Amino acid sequence: MSTPSPALRPTEGPSFLGRLGRLGPLLGLLALMLVATLLNPDFLGVSNLTNILTRAAFTGIIAVGMTFVIISGGIDLSVGSLAALIAGSMILVMNDLVPSLGAGWATIGVGMLTALALGALAGLFHGVTITKGRIEPFIVTLGTLGIYRAVLTYLSQGGAISLDLGVSERYSPVFYGSLLGIPIPILVFALVALLGGLILNRTRYGRYVQAIGSNEQVARYAAINVTGVKVATYMLLGVCVAIATILYVPRLGSASPSTGLLWELEAIAAVIIGGTALKGGHGRIWGTVVGAILLVTIENTLNLTNIISVYLNAAVQGVVIILVAFFQRGERR
Amino acid sequence: MTHLTRLALLSAALVASSALAQTKQVIGVSIPAADHGWTAGVVYHANQAKAQLEKQYPGAQIIVKTAKDANEQANQIQDLYTVNKINALVILPQESAPLTRPVANLKNRGVFVTVVDRGLTDPKAQDAYVAGDNTGFGRVAGEYVARQLGPNGGNVVVLRGIPTVIDNQRNDAFRAAVAKNPKVKILDARYGNWNRDDAFKVMQDYLTRFPRIDAVWASDDDMAVGVLRAIGQAKRTDIRLVLGGAGMKEMVKRVMDGGDKLITANVTYPPSMIADAMRLTVESRMKGTPMKASTIIPSVLVTKENAARFYFPNSPF
């Protein structure tokens, strides 16, 4: 670990195998890319690689927030439902604003702020219920997983909530546009990951998160505001979900009960593949980023070839996930 | 004389009471909760039909219940029987196998059972069956694609739904219909799970993989939405046709308006089939007439000419 926590200090330097294991996700991704290129040379095309990174951006951004929550010893199962609810709510708000504010950036701005506020509020609710209410994070977020999606289904009457066409037109560059040739979702993903890495490894808050995850009691004795830090991790994740949703809405211009389905598992899988311990204590943002890209790459590779029966797609995904975890088991104790 | 009058009175009373019993009918309707576009349409049409039928037949009481999974649905029909004392049940089962036993139970106790769309594993558990035509859905789509591509044919990619029997039937029928035009080539068929996001991704990968695609059978309107976005993003102009299905109102509107070059038709698999099943059941119960053992609602090709008939602006789907 580059940032030793007060509670856990490794006594010996990492062995060769340990060091190799730390690169597990990256090696896994490179191996997968090699296989994909052999199967279909189009894999390395710029447009395909951009597609992969853009798709990875959604769960990747959420996974960056999830890394904090998991390192602190928590979990959040509700992110997929929350993304769907935020998407639906911000579309409804924007549609309502069109008559008064017009179909311009003012409306979109309010929509984005609504998303961020909802994300932060949901995170605040999770954090407070978990710390002050002393309920397991698994239970709290299992509850909200059902609540958020049910509310969205209710709002949409089970159908789709579609964005006003004018707003959709104006908003679409946020997903489809690019800056210096790089699509906006990839830029935002990179920025969020960079900020996440800085916060985790270079700030006092980041160290507190790791300390709490490795031993909450010791952290309390060290006079760390455990409640405050934990609530902040859930709010951080809520904001990440909101950012991902802000990028997601212009893609299809609609939200439906199937929006964001199973994103929570994808985000958690990305974090774990990236080498963060599910029991908390330590982890790394770059690993999470690689994990998110790896997950999308598996799916993309399978779609680019015809060798494996489509019935077995999920099995191949499972095998690759377990293999990557196997390669990096050396560093877990 | 007295004997005769007594007999006449008695038979009159019997007729009257049986007529009374016939006019008092409680019909339970059990359908999946609105969890995606098509089932949302089912819920909408069930409620519409309830209002209309109760007005038409003052003696009929219709109770509509939605369930989120097979287990909840099994509990629900039990309650409909014991609490609401239903005479007839119209059910669109969440899943076939787990609901066969509970439905058969109700039928054995004298409840008239109409099963809609997804069949049960044992047809003896039902009195009547009303369903969409899945084979027809694939065939009509395949014929249209083959016809639109013309004698020169072209390359077709297919998006499938979720791996199920229904999806296999549709896909096989589509392939069989397309095969009649030897110049049409199906490049690949992958699962988009009847979902916009998944369809978007699968289409992106198709566009990377195949330099020339002439037609896309999206096989569902939700998936067609994702397909259109992926094509738009890749700025591809080789694709001449995107055919969805099921009759989502936005898609039917596009066909009706005729402004969209890619979306020129649709194939129905109407969520309103629940309303047809309810109407047939209530009619048969109220009039005492038998109901056909099996009613198949055909899948129809929607084009600019007939689209107005399939456009329900108030439906959520």
Side-chain angles (χ1 to χ4, degrees), chain A residues 55 248 254 300 303 305, chain B residues 190 196-197 204-205 229:
Chain A
R55 281 189 224 166
Y248 169 86
S254 72
N300 174 258
N303 278 343
T305 57
Chain B
R190 295 206 167 251
R196 297 173 183 210
D197 291 330
Q204 272 194 333
D205 293 340
R229 287 295 177 120

Side-chain angles (χ1 to χ4, degrees), chain A residues 1-13 207 214 281-282 333:
Chain A
M1 297 299 304
S2 56
T3 52
S5 58
L8 185 90
R9 197 180 290 271
T11 43
E12 84 266 28
R207 274 151 224 239
S214 60
H282 67 91
R333 279 162 262 259

Side-chain angles (χ1 to χ4, degrees), chain A residues 103-176:
Chain A
W105 284 107
T107 303
I108 295 167
V110 178
M112 289 177 172
L113 288 177
T114 312
L116 292 169
L118 275 175
L121 268 178
L124 181 66
F125 175 75
H126 290 155
V128 169
T129 327
I130 287 161
T131 52
K132 295 280 183 198
R134 276 180 292 153
I135 310 176
E136 285 290 322
F138 190 94
I139 301 300
V140 171
T141 56
L142 186 65
T144 50
L145 164 114
I147 297 169
Y148 299 150
R149 195 168 293 283
V151 172
L152 172 78
T153 311
Y154 169 77
L155 288 177
S156 68
Q157 293 178 277
I161 305 178
S162 295
L163 188 56
D164 176 270
L165 277 179
V167 182
S168 189
E169 192 79 10
R170 189 61 65 83
Y171 194 169
S172 71
V174 173
F175 176 81
Y176 293 104

